[in-house]
Amino acid sequence: MSFEIGIMTFGELTEDPATGRLPSPRQRVRETIEQAQLADQVGLDVFGVGEHHRSDFVGSAPSILLAAAAERTERIRLTSAVTVLSSEDPVRVWEQFATIDLLSAGRAEIIAGRGSYTESFPLFGYDLKDYAELFREKLGLLLAIRDRNPLTWRGRFRPPLYEADVAPRADGGTIPIWVGVGGSPASAISTGRLGLPMALALLLGPMTTHEETVRLYRAAAAEAGHDAAALPVSINAHGYVGRTSQAARDTMYPYFARGMLDNNHQRGAGFPLSRPVFDAQATPAAGLLVGSAQEVADKLLAYHELYGVTRAIIQMGFGGMPQKEHLAAIERLGTEVAPLVRREVERSAA
């Protein structure tokens, strides 16, 4: 059994609370590719780019950023985190990620989600009253495209396909498709029934937040005839790896708090986060993956024990953290945290 560790970003544009400077979109895009390159060099397993369609993010086209990252990396897997599939065309999503797969020699993945941010729905002409049905239909189409070509298909939200040739095909014939779940029991159950890997999003709260979600997911998978124990589950969470526990908290807090205020759903209407509340979320029983290398490794192993997760993707620069500090944390995650976790997981499996 292996345990994969990676990083993700939404490419948010946030005013630095220390300097008052706002990074340019060009700067943030270039920094994103630099983060992917370093993550690959230090041995991390996954690099993800999330999707938002607002001026305080540069991640409106994750597939383009991942394609650029494919050309600067050699081994790391490249995933969306997430693709807001409800407001996308599954045909185009497949074409884009199959192209990334060819560029990267088979390293592309998709995490498909409904979208907790909803700005893309009016932008692309979708009605929020169709929120759930849009995702169900479009996920079904994306899976059908992955499984067969040419394809005949009919649905409600896009024109039918008749013996459609959807190209290119993936480098290895297929692309892993995960479903991003924020804790909704219905989402977990439907993902389990499909036998798809589940990516759990945990922002704030206790580590045990998703216990029932995972139980429902595995029960639904087993009932549908899938090998529930073999289905991958990941935890996607915020964090930071510092030289010491205190240094990690002191570095992360001002940027994370600013991001929660400025970038959490709507500018100026975010979530005010006090230092005591942040510190409480950094304790061993809470969700943030922030601390020394040993502390972060211990919490990842606790998630592995609690949920049976075999992957963790950490968003470490949220809130516009300066690139120097962000890269230092990526290096510590790859060279210090990942070896500790992999060694312990392999030892316990043996």
Side-chain angles (χ1 to χ4, degrees):
M1 179 186 294
S2 62
F3 193 102
E4 296 179 327
I5 298 177
I7 60 167
M8 60 173 282
T9 182
F10 288 109
E12 64 276 0
L13 298 168
T14 314
E15 185 179 284
D16 190 313
T19 67
R21 295 194 187 98
L22 185 70
S24 70
R26 181 199 296 178
Q27 175 187 340
R28 185 61 78 227
V29 163
R30 298 313 311 169
E31 288 176 347
T32 297
I33 304 307
E34 187 179 15
Q35 292 157 19
Q37 187 175 23
L38 179 61
D40 186 57
Q41 290 170 351
V42 299
L44 291 174
D45 302 290
V46 191
F47 176 75
V49 179
E51 177 184 344
H52 286 305
H53 296 268
R54 288 179 11 204
S55 59
D56 54 334
F57 294 92
V58 296
S60 61
S63 60
I64 294 178
L65 290 171
L66 292 171
E71 290 297 286
R72 295 284 294 274
T73 58
E74 297 180 357
R75 189 192 59 85
I76 198 166
R77 299 200 64 80
L78 303 166
T79 187
S80 58
V82 300
T83 294
V84 184
L85 190 60
S86 304
S87 57
E88 291 271 17
D89 178 3
V91 173
R92 197 64 177 139
V93 169
W94 174 266
E95 291 173 341
Q96 291 166 349
F97 279 84
T99 302
I100 295 169
D101 207 56
L102 297 176
L103 285 170
S104 64
R107 293 186 279 130
E109 292 187 2
I110 299 168
I111 301 178
R114 292 161 177 79
S116 59
Y117 290 49
T118 58
E119 70 276 353
S120 63
F121 287 79
L123 190 63
F124 297 113
Y126 292 101
D127 195 322
L128 278 171
K129 70 180 177 60
D130 299 320
Y131 183 81
E133 186 56 38
L134 276 164
F135 183 76
R136 281 193 293 269
E137 179 177 300
K138 293 191 174 195
L139 180 60
L141 175 54
L142 182 62
L143 294 173
I145 293 169
R146 182 180 69 168
D147 292 343
R148 58 187 181 273
N149 191 57
L151 173 69
T152 297
W153 176 93
R154 178 180 292 275
R156 175 184 166 196
F157 296 105
R158 62 149 292 145
L161 300 169
Y162 299 103
E163 290 298 301
D165 179 13
V166 183
R169 305 310 292 172
D171 186 66
T174 191
I175 293 175
I177 296 174
W178 296 61
V179 175
V181 174
S184 161
S187 297
I189 291 168
S190 61
T191 303
R193 286 173 178 162
L194 291 169
L196 295 174
M198 181 170 66
L200 284 167
L202 179 60
L203 181 57
L204 297 172
M207 283 189 66
T208 55
T209 294
H210 287 311
E211 277 190 302
E212 181 66 4
T213 307
V214 173
R215 187 192 70 78
L216 290 170
Y217 165 73
R218 296 204 185 279
E223 187 177 340
H226 304 291
D227 184 354
L231 287 175
V233 174
S234 80
I235 183 76
N236 297 4
H238 289 278
Y240 185 81
V241 187
R243 290 180 295 101
T244 65
S245 296
Q246 191 62 45
R249 289 157 172 75
D250 290 345
T251 300
M252 179 178 173
Y253 171 70
Y255 298 101
F256 185 71
R258 188 58 177 261
M260 290 295 289
L261 192 62
D262 284 2
N263 306 118
N264 188 32
H265 295 286
Q266 297 294 334
R267 268 196 183 278
F271 179 80
L273 184 71
S274 69
R275 182 61 189 260
V277 171
F278 172 83
D279 287 338
Q281 291 297 315
T283 58
L288 290 180
L289 291 159
V290 54
S292 65
Q294 185 65 60
E295 189 175 8
V296 173
D298 288 343
K299 189 171 281 191
L300 288 173
L301 290 168
Y303 272 124
H304 175 66
E305 180 69 22
L306 182 64
Y307 295 142
V309 300
T310 55
R311 174 185 280 189
I313 303 178
I314 308 174
Q315 186 176 359
M316 292 199 295
F318 183 69
M321 180 179 290
Q323 184 78 335
K324 179 181 177 182
E325 285 79 2
H326 195 167
L327 294 179
I330 292 171
E331 184 166 3
R332 293 186 191 104
L333 184 66
T335 61
E336 299 179 40
V337 176
L340 286 172
V341 174
R342 292 173 186 142
R343 186 164 57 246
E344 183 58 29
V345 169
E346 291 170 3
R347 187 197 64 79
S348 59

